[in-house]
């Protein structure tokens, strides 16, 4: 999984004209878990937030909202008095943090760093949200550990694959609420149902999202 996450960071860096992209998995108690980055230098920048206990990553995770700072020289020091000067010293001029979450479940944050000030364009912002969703998919779906990410598939085929996975995670969230179980267990239940009935995962997810199937009322 770590290799896939690192590749997503690298792809995001190129697509968003960033100087680096990093992600951190975090827990509600503030504990930071596995992370990934586009390159070693960005890994160090990502780590600074946890060293200082402040920064866009922590803020995005706490609030559940994106943190978009197009110019760190414009008031960011009052927001993060230690972090902001430190990252400016290593050449970061803008940072954009996107929470990795599905429903109420927060998994971590995707951070995009730029060496020049300026906002993300509308298209770039949309791409950033797409990469954040891809990170969520990778973290939640064990199949991502062996997935072959084909760069040539970014296009119509990628859109179809993304929609299919998005539907799976929507179904996963619905089962989580229906059964009152953790998000990861909801995916296990969906997979078990699909396996037992020799159905595809995407077909079962589609039925759940369309409310044709409720796993908590299944008696077969």
């Amino acid at each position: 999984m770590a290799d896939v996450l690192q590749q997503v960071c690298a792809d995001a860096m190129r697509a968003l004209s960033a100087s680096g992209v990093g992600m951190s998995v975090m827990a509600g108690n503030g504990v930071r878990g596995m992370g990934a980055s586009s390159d070693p230098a960005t890994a160090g920048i990502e780590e600074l937030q946890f060293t200082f206990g402040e920064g866009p990553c922590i803020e995005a995770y706490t609030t559940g909202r994106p943190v978009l700072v197009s110019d760190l020289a414009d008031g960011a020091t009052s927001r993060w008095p230690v972090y902001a000067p430190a990252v400016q010293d290593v050449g970061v001029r803008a940072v954009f943090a996107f929470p990795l979450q599905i429903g109420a479940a927060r998994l971590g944050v995707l951070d995009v760093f730029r060496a020049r000030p300026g906002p993300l364009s509308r298209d770039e912002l949309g791409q950033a949200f797409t990469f954040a969703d891809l990170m969520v998919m990778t973290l939640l779906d064990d199949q991502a550990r062996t997935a072959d990410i084909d760069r040539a598939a970014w296009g119509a085929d990628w859109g179809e694959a993304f929609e299919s996975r998005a539907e799976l995670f929507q179904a996963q969230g619905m089962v989580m609420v229906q059964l009152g179980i953790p998000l990861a267990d909801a995916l296990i239940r969906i997979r078990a149902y699909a396996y037992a009935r020799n159905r595809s995962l995407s077909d079962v997810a589609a039925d759940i999202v369309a409310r044709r199937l409720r796993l908590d009322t299944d008696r077969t």
Side-chain angles (χ1 to χ4, degrees), residues 51-189:
T51 300
F52 299 140
E54 62 179 34
C57 177
I58 295 174
E59 185 173 320
Y61 181 84
T62 302
T63 63
R65 297 191 299 268
V67 175
L68 310 176
V69 181
S70 59
D71 190 350
L72 282 166
D74 185 16
T77 301
S78 61
R79 194 171 184 176
W80 308 304
V82 182
Y83 170 81
V87 294
Q88 289 182 78
D89 285 345
V90 293
V92 176
R93 296 293 177 265
V95 60
F96 310 93
F98 301 87
L100 306 177
Q101 58 188 25
I102 178 168
R106 299 175 189 173
L107 307 177
V109 176
L110 175 70
D111 292 318
V112 177
F113 304 98
R114 276 182 162 175
R116 68 180 189 280
L120 295 172
S121 68
R122 182 175 180 177
D123 287 344
E124 289 170 337
L125 191 60
Q127 289 184 69
F129 280 116
T130 298
F131 280 111
D133 286 340
L134 180 55
M135 283 289 189
V136 172
M137 294 175 187
T138 304
L139 290 169
L140 295 181
D141 189 355
D142 289 340
Q143 291 178 347
R145 299 185 182 190
T146 56
D148 180 13
I149 301 179
D150 183 1
R151 300 295 169 271
W154 287 65
D157 293 340
W158 160 249
E160 293 174 3
F162 182 81
E163 289 176 5
S164 176
R165 284 178 172 265
E167 190 169 55
L168 172 60
F169 290 116
Q170 184 179 353
Q172 192 176 346
M174 292 173 66
V175 172
M176 176 185 70
V177 173
Q178 290 168 6
L179 303 186
I181 59 177
L183 203 59
D185 290 349
L187 180 58
I188 292 172
R189 290 294 296 269

Side-chain angles (χ1 to χ4, degrees), residues 2-49:
D3 289 344
V4 177
L5 293 173
Q6 183 176 352
Q7 186 60 60
V8 174
C9 286
D11 288 343
M13 181 184 71
R14 288 189 290 269
L16 302 174
S17 301
S19 57
V21 171
M23 64 80 64
S24 292
V25 177
M26 301 170 66
N29 58 6
V31 175
R32 181 199 180 200
M34 175 187 61
S37 63
S38 56
D39 57 275
T42 300
I45 295 172
E46 186 79 4
E47 186 68 32
L48 287 176
Q49 303 184 77

